[in-house]
Short mmCIF file of all heavy atoms in Angstrom, two decimals:
data_model
loop_
_atom_site.label_atom_id
_atom_site.label_comp_id
_atom_site.label_asym_id
_atom_site.label_seq_id
_atom_site.Cartn_x
_atom_site.Cartn_y
_atom_site.Cartn_z
N GLN A 1 20.76 -2.92 91.39
CA GLN A 1 19.53 -2.78 92.08
C GLN A 1 19.15 -1.37 92.36
O GLN A 1 18.00 -0.97 92.27
CB GLN A 1 19.58 -3.61 93.39
CG GLN A 1 19.63 -5.11 93.20
CD GLN A 1 19.86 -5.89 94.46
OE1 GLN A 1 20.47 -5.36 95.43
NE2 GLN A 1 19.40 -7.14 94.50
N ARG A 2 20.16 -0.59 92.75
CA ARG A 2 19.93 0.85 92.98
C ARG A 2 19.46 1.52 91.74
O ARG A 2 18.54 2.36 91.79
CB ARG A 2 21.20 1.51 93.52
CG ARG A 2 21.53 1.11 94.96
CD ARG A 2 22.56 2.07 95.57
NE ARG A 2 23.84 2.07 94.81
CZ ARG A 2 24.86 1.18 95.07
NH1 ARG A 2 24.74 0.35 96.07
NH2 ARG A 2 25.94 1.26 94.37
N ALA A 3 20.05 1.17 90.62
CA ALA A 3 19.63 1.79 89.34
C ALA A 3 18.18 1.41 88.99
O ALA A 3 17.38 2.23 88.55
CB ALA A 3 20.54 1.34 88.18
N GLY A 4 17.79 0.17 89.30
CA GLY A 4 16.41 -0.29 89.06
C GLY A 4 15.41 0.48 89.96
O GLY A 4 14.33 0.86 89.52
N ILE A 5 15.83 0.65 91.24
CA ILE A 5 14.95 1.39 92.17
C ILE A 5 14.76 2.84 91.70
O ILE A 5 13.64 3.35 91.70
CB ILE A 5 15.49 1.36 93.60
CG1 ILE A 5 15.42 -0.15 94.11
CG2 ILE A 5 14.73 2.24 94.50
CD1 ILE A 5 16.13 -0.32 95.43
N ILE A 6 15.83 3.47 91.26
CA ILE A 6 15.77 4.88 90.84
C ILE A 6 14.88 4.95 89.59
O ILE A 6 14.03 5.84 89.45
CB ILE A 6 17.16 5.39 90.51
CG1 ILE A 6 17.99 5.51 91.83
CG2 ILE A 6 17.11 6.76 89.82
CD1 ILE A 6 19.45 5.86 91.63
N PHE A 7 15.01 3.98 88.66
CA PHE A 7 14.19 3.97 87.46
C PHE A 7 12.74 3.81 87.77
O PHE A 7 11.85 4.48 87.18
CB PHE A 7 14.64 2.83 86.52
CG PHE A 7 13.79 2.69 85.30
CD1 PHE A 7 13.98 3.59 84.21
CD2 PHE A 7 12.83 1.70 85.18
CE1 PHE A 7 13.17 3.45 83.13
CE2 PHE A 7 12.06 1.59 84.07
CZ PHE A 7 12.24 2.47 83.00
N LEU A 8 12.44 2.90 88.78
CA LEU A 8 10.99 2.70 89.16
C LEU A 8 10.42 3.96 89.79
O LEU A 8 9.29 4.36 89.44
CB LEU A 8 10.99 1.55 90.15
CG LEU A 8 9.55 1.23 90.69
CD1 LEU A 8 8.65 0.83 89.56
CD2 LEU A 8 9.66 0.09 91.73
N ILE A 9 11.19 4.64 90.68
CA ILE A 9 10.70 5.82 91.32
C ILE A 9 10.44 6.92 90.25
O ILE A 9 9.45 7.64 90.31
CB ILE A 9 11.67 6.29 92.40
CG1 ILE A 9 11.72 5.24 93.52
CG2 ILE A 9 11.29 7.65 92.95
CD1 ILE A 9 12.77 5.56 94.57
N THR A 10 11.41 7.01 89.31
CA THR A 10 11.28 8.04 88.29
C THR A 10 10.01 7.82 87.45
O THR A 10 9.25 8.74 87.10
CB THR A 10 12.53 8.05 87.41
OG1 THR A 10 13.68 8.28 88.23
CG2 THR A 10 12.40 9.14 86.35
N THR A 11 9.79 6.52 87.12
CA THR A 11 8.63 6.20 86.30
C THR A 11 7.31 6.54 87.02
O THR A 11 6.37 7.07 86.43
CB THR A 11 8.62 4.72 85.97
OG1 THR A 11 9.84 4.37 85.25
CG2 THR A 11 7.42 4.27 85.09
N VAL A 12 7.27 6.22 88.33
CA VAL A 12 6.06 6.55 89.11
C VAL A 12 5.88 8.05 89.16
O VAL A 12 4.71 8.50 89.04
CB VAL A 12 6.18 5.94 90.51
CG1 VAL A 12 5.07 6.43 91.44
CG2 VAL A 12 6.24 4.42 90.46
N LEU A 13 6.96 8.82 89.33
CA LEU A 13 6.75 10.25 89.39
C LEU A 13 6.29 10.80 88.05
O LEU A 13 5.44 11.76 88.00
CB LEU A 13 8.11 10.89 89.80
CG LEU A 13 8.56 10.63 91.22
CD1 LEU A 13 9.94 11.24 91.48
CD2 LEU A 13 7.54 11.21 92.24
N VAL A 14 6.86 10.30 86.95
CA VAL A 14 6.42 10.78 85.64
C VAL A 14 5.01 10.51 85.36
O VAL A 14 4.23 11.34 84.88
CB VAL A 14 7.34 10.18 84.55
CG1 VAL A 14 6.76 10.47 83.18
CG2 VAL A 14 8.77 10.69 84.66
N ILE A 15 4.57 9.30 85.74
CA ILE A 15 3.19 8.90 85.47
C ILE A 15 2.20 9.81 86.33
O ILE A 15 1.21 10.25 85.87
CB ILE A 15 2.94 7.42 85.82
CG1 ILE A 15 3.70 6.56 84.82
CG2 ILE A 15 1.47 7.08 85.83
CD1 ILE A 15 3.64 5.05 85.14
N GLY A 16 2.62 9.97 87.60
CA GLY A 16 1.81 10.82 88.45
C GLY A 16 1.75 12.28 87.88
O GLY A 16 0.65 12.91 87.92
N TYR A 17 2.87 12.78 87.40
CA TYR A 17 2.88 14.14 86.87
C TYR A 17 1.96 14.24 85.63
O TYR A 17 1.21 15.19 85.47
CB TYR A 17 4.32 14.52 86.45
CG TYR A 17 4.45 15.83 85.75
CD1 TYR A 17 4.55 17.00 86.52
CD2 TYR A 17 4.46 15.96 84.39
CE1 TYR A 17 4.67 18.27 85.90
CE2 TYR A 17 4.59 17.17 83.77
CZ TYR A 17 4.66 18.34 84.48
OH TYR A 17 4.74 19.53 83.88
N VAL A 18 2.06 13.24 84.72
CA VAL A 18 1.26 13.24 83.55
C VAL A 18 -0.21 13.19 83.86
O VAL A 18 -1.02 13.91 83.28
CB VAL A 18 1.67 12.10 82.59
CG1 VAL A 18 0.69 11.94 81.46
CG2 VAL A 18 3.09 12.32 82.08
N GLN A 19 -0.62 12.35 84.82
CA GLN A 19 -1.99 12.22 85.18
C GLN A 19 -2.49 13.49 85.83
O GLN A 19 -3.69 13.81 85.72
CB GLN A 19 -2.20 11.04 86.14
CG GLN A 19 -2.02 9.68 85.47
CD GLN A 19 -2.26 8.57 86.41
OE1 GLN A 19 -2.18 8.71 87.62
NE2 GLN A 19 -2.53 7.35 85.86
N PHE A 20 -1.71 14.20 86.50
CA PHE A 20 -2.11 15.37 87.25
C PHE A 20 -2.18 16.61 86.36
O PHE A 20 -3.10 17.44 86.45
CB PHE A 20 -1.20 15.64 88.43
CG PHE A 20 -1.69 16.74 89.31
CD1 PHE A 20 -2.70 16.53 90.28
CD2 PHE A 20 -1.11 18.00 89.20
CE1 PHE A 20 -3.09 17.59 91.08
CE2 PHE A 20 -1.55 19.07 89.99
CZ PHE A 20 -2.55 18.82 90.94
N PHE A 21 -1.21 16.77 85.45
CA PHE A 21 -1.11 17.98 84.68
C PHE A 21 -1.60 17.90 83.25
O PHE A 21 -1.86 18.85 82.57
CB PHE A 21 0.36 18.48 84.68
CG PHE A 21 0.79 18.94 86.03
CD1 PHE A 21 1.65 18.12 86.81
CD2 PHE A 21 0.44 20.18 86.49
CE1 PHE A 21 2.05 18.59 88.01
CE2 PHE A 21 0.94 20.64 87.71
CZ PHE A 21 1.75 19.82 88.50
N VAL A 22 -1.74 16.65 82.76
CA VAL A 22 -2.17 16.48 81.34
C VAL A 22 -3.57 15.96 81.31
O VAL A 22 -3.95 14.97 81.99
CB VAL A 22 -1.23 15.51 80.60
CG1 VAL A 22 -1.70 15.34 79.15
CG2 VAL A 22 0.18 16.04 80.65
N SER A 23 -4.49 16.63 80.50
CA SER A 23 -5.86 16.25 80.36
C SER A 23 -6.00 15.30 79.14
O SER A 23 -5.52 15.59 78.07
CB SER A 23 -6.76 17.45 80.14
OG SER A 23 -8.06 17.06 79.89
N PHE A 24 -6.62 14.16 79.43
CA PHE A 24 -6.80 13.12 78.38
C PHE A 24 -8.20 13.17 77.75
O PHE A 24 -8.59 12.36 76.92
CB PHE A 24 -6.56 11.74 78.96
CG PHE A 24 -5.18 11.43 79.27
CD1 PHE A 24 -4.63 11.65 80.55
CD2 PHE A 24 -4.25 11.00 78.32
CE1 PHE A 24 -3.35 11.43 80.86
CE2 PHE A 24 -2.95 10.75 78.59
CZ PHE A 24 -2.46 10.95 79.87
N SER A 25 -9.05 14.17 78.16
CA SER A 25 -10.40 14.25 77.60
C SER A 25 -10.29 14.78 76.14
O SER A 25 -9.59 15.77 75.88
CB SER A 25 -11.27 15.25 78.41
OG SER A 25 -10.68 16.54 78.42
N GLU A 26 -10.93 14.06 75.21
CA GLU A 26 -10.84 14.44 73.81
C GLU A 26 -12.08 15.20 73.43
O GLU A 26 -13.19 15.00 73.81
CB GLU A 26 -10.79 13.12 72.98
CG GLU A 26 -9.59 12.32 73.19
CD GLU A 26 -9.56 11.11 72.29
OE1 GLU A 26 -10.53 10.95 71.48
OE2 GLU A 26 -8.63 10.31 72.31
N GLU A 27 -11.81 16.28 72.64
CA GLU A 27 -12.90 17.04 72.06
C GLU A 27 -13.64 16.25 70.99
O GLU A 27 -12.94 15.51 70.24
CB GLU A 27 -12.34 18.36 71.47
CG GLU A 27 -11.79 19.32 72.46
CD GLU A 27 -12.86 19.88 73.36
OE1 GLU A 27 -14.02 19.99 72.93
OE2 GLU A 27 -12.51 20.20 74.54
N PRO A 28 -14.96 16.29 70.92
CA PRO A 28 -15.64 15.50 69.86
C PRO A 28 -15.23 15.97 68.48
O PRO A 28 -15.05 17.09 68.25
CB PRO A 28 -17.15 15.84 70.13
CG PRO A 28 -17.11 17.14 70.90
CD PRO A 28 -15.88 17.10 71.74
N ALA A 29 -15.06 14.92 67.64
CA ALA A 29 -14.64 15.27 66.27
C ALA A 29 -15.71 15.99 65.50
O ALA A 29 -15.43 16.71 64.57
CB ALA A 29 -14.30 13.97 65.54
N LEU A 30 -17.03 15.86 65.91
CA LEU A 30 -18.14 16.48 65.20
C LEU A 30 -19.10 17.18 66.19
O LEU A 30 -19.53 16.60 67.15
CB LEU A 30 -18.94 15.41 64.40
CG LEU A 30 -20.02 15.95 63.50
CD1 LEU A 30 -19.45 16.82 62.40
CD2 LEU A 30 -20.84 14.82 62.89
N ASP A 31 -19.28 18.48 66.03
CA ASP A 31 -20.11 19.24 66.89
C ASP A 31 -21.55 19.14 66.41
O ASP A 31 -21.93 19.78 65.38
CB ASP A 31 -19.64 20.72 66.91
CG ASP A 31 -20.49 21.53 67.92
OD1 ASP A 31 -21.31 20.93 68.70
OD2 ASP A 31 -20.28 22.75 67.98
N LEU A 32 -22.40 18.35 67.07
CA LEU A 32 -23.79 18.14 66.60
C LEU A 32 -24.66 19.36 66.83
O LEU A 32 -25.77 19.37 66.29
CB LEU A 32 -24.34 16.92 67.40
CG LEU A 32 -23.64 15.57 67.13
CD1 LEU A 32 -24.32 14.52 68.01
CD2 LEU A 32 -23.69 15.22 65.65
N SER A 33 -24.18 20.33 67.60
CA SER A 33 -24.98 21.50 67.83
C SER A 33 -24.62 22.64 66.88
O SER A 33 -25.19 23.74 67.05
CB SER A 33 -24.81 22.01 69.29
OG SER A 33 -23.49 22.36 69.52
N SER A 34 -23.74 22.43 65.93
CA SER A 34 -23.35 23.48 65.03
C SER A 34 -24.51 23.83 64.07
O SER A 34 -25.44 23.01 63.81
CB SER A 34 -22.13 23.04 64.22
OG SER A 34 -22.45 21.96 63.40
N GLU A 35 -24.46 25.01 63.46
CA GLU A 35 -25.53 25.45 62.56
C GLU A 35 -25.59 24.57 61.33
O GLU A 35 -26.66 24.28 60.82
CB GLU A 35 -25.28 26.93 62.15
CG GLU A 35 -25.40 27.92 63.26
CD GLU A 35 -25.21 29.31 62.77
OE1 GLU A 35 -24.98 29.49 61.56
OE2 GLU A 35 -25.27 30.22 63.62
N GLU A 36 -24.44 24.10 60.81
CA GLU A 36 -24.45 23.24 59.64
C GLU A 36 -25.15 21.91 59.87
O GLU A 36 -25.99 21.50 59.10
CB GLU A 36 -23.01 22.98 59.18
CG GLU A 36 -22.27 24.19 58.65
CD GLU A 36 -21.70 25.05 59.76
OE1 GLU A 36 -21.83 24.66 60.97
OE2 GLU A 36 -21.08 26.10 59.47
N ILE A 37 -24.87 21.28 61.04
CA ILE A 37 -25.47 20.03 61.34
C ILE A 37 -26.95 20.19 61.61
O ILE A 37 -27.80 19.44 61.15
CB ILE A 37 -24.81 19.39 62.60
CG1 ILE A 37 -23.32 19.11 62.27
CG2 ILE A 37 -25.50 18.12 62.95
CD1 ILE A 37 -23.11 18.13 61.10
N THR A 38 -27.33 21.27 62.34
CA THR A 38 -28.77 21.55 62.58
C THR A 38 -29.52 21.78 61.30
O THR A 38 -30.62 21.30 61.14
CB THR A 38 -28.91 22.78 63.49
OG1 THR A 38 -28.15 22.60 64.73
CG2 THR A 38 -30.32 23.04 63.85
N GLY A 39 -28.92 22.51 60.34
CA GLY A 39 -29.55 22.77 59.10
C GLY A 39 -29.78 21.51 58.27
O GLY A 39 -30.85 21.29 57.70
N LEU A 40 -28.75 20.63 58.24
CA LEU A 40 -28.87 19.38 57.55
C LEU A 40 -29.93 18.51 58.14
O LEU A 40 -30.72 17.83 57.43
CB LEU A 40 -27.52 18.63 57.53
CG LEU A 40 -26.43 19.23 56.65
CD1 LEU A 40 -25.11 18.48 56.88
CD2 LEU A 40 -26.79 19.20 55.19
N GLN A 41 -30.02 18.51 59.50
CA GLN A 41 -31.04 17.71 60.16
C GLN A 41 -32.44 18.20 59.79
O GLN A 41 -33.35 17.35 59.59
CB GLN A 41 -30.80 17.78 61.65
CG GLN A 41 -31.71 16.83 62.49
CD GLN A 41 -31.46 15.37 62.20
OE1 GLN A 41 -30.30 15.01 62.07
NE2 GLN A 41 -32.50 14.57 62.07
N CYS A 42 -32.59 19.53 59.73
CA CYS A 42 -33.92 20.04 59.37
C CYS A 42 -34.28 19.63 57.96
O CYS A 42 -35.46 19.31 57.64
CB CYS A 42 -33.92 21.57 59.51
SG CYS A 42 -33.82 22.13 61.22
N ASP A 43 -33.30 19.73 57.05
CA ASP A 43 -33.57 19.29 55.62
C ASP A 43 -33.95 17.81 55.54
O ASP A 43 -34.90 17.47 54.81
CB ASP A 43 -32.31 19.55 54.76
CG ASP A 43 -32.00 21.02 54.61
OD1 ASP A 43 -32.94 21.86 54.83
OD2 ASP A 43 -30.85 21.37 54.28
N MET A 44 -33.29 16.97 56.34
CA MET A 44 -33.63 15.57 56.30
C MET A 44 -35.01 15.32 56.82
O MET A 44 -35.77 14.51 56.32
CB MET A 44 -32.60 14.75 57.11
CG MET A 44 -31.19 14.78 56.46
SD MET A 44 -29.97 13.88 57.51
CE MET A 44 -30.70 12.24 57.54
N ASP A 45 -35.32 16.09 57.93
CA ASP A 45 -36.73 15.90 58.46
C ASP A 45 -37.77 16.35 57.48
O ASP A 45 -38.85 15.69 57.37
CB ASP A 45 -36.87 16.74 59.79
CG ASP A 45 -36.00 16.17 60.88
OD1 ASP A 45 -35.67 14.98 60.77
OD2 ASP A 45 -35.69 16.92 61.82
N SER A 46 -37.51 17.45 56.74
CA SER A 46 -38.45 17.89 55.73
C SER A 46 -38.65 16.89 54.65
O SER A 46 -39.79 16.61 54.16
CB SER A 46 -38.00 19.23 55.16
OG SER A 46 -37.88 20.24 56.14
#
């Protein structure tokens, strides 16, 4: 039982640490404001 309690506390601390120090926001795979995308959009409009 003591080992289980220690494992649970450790898990809670690890999760808290990860949520506090690690950013889960992902950078967009495609930058729609880049010059290449803007140029292609202009060509398509033309």
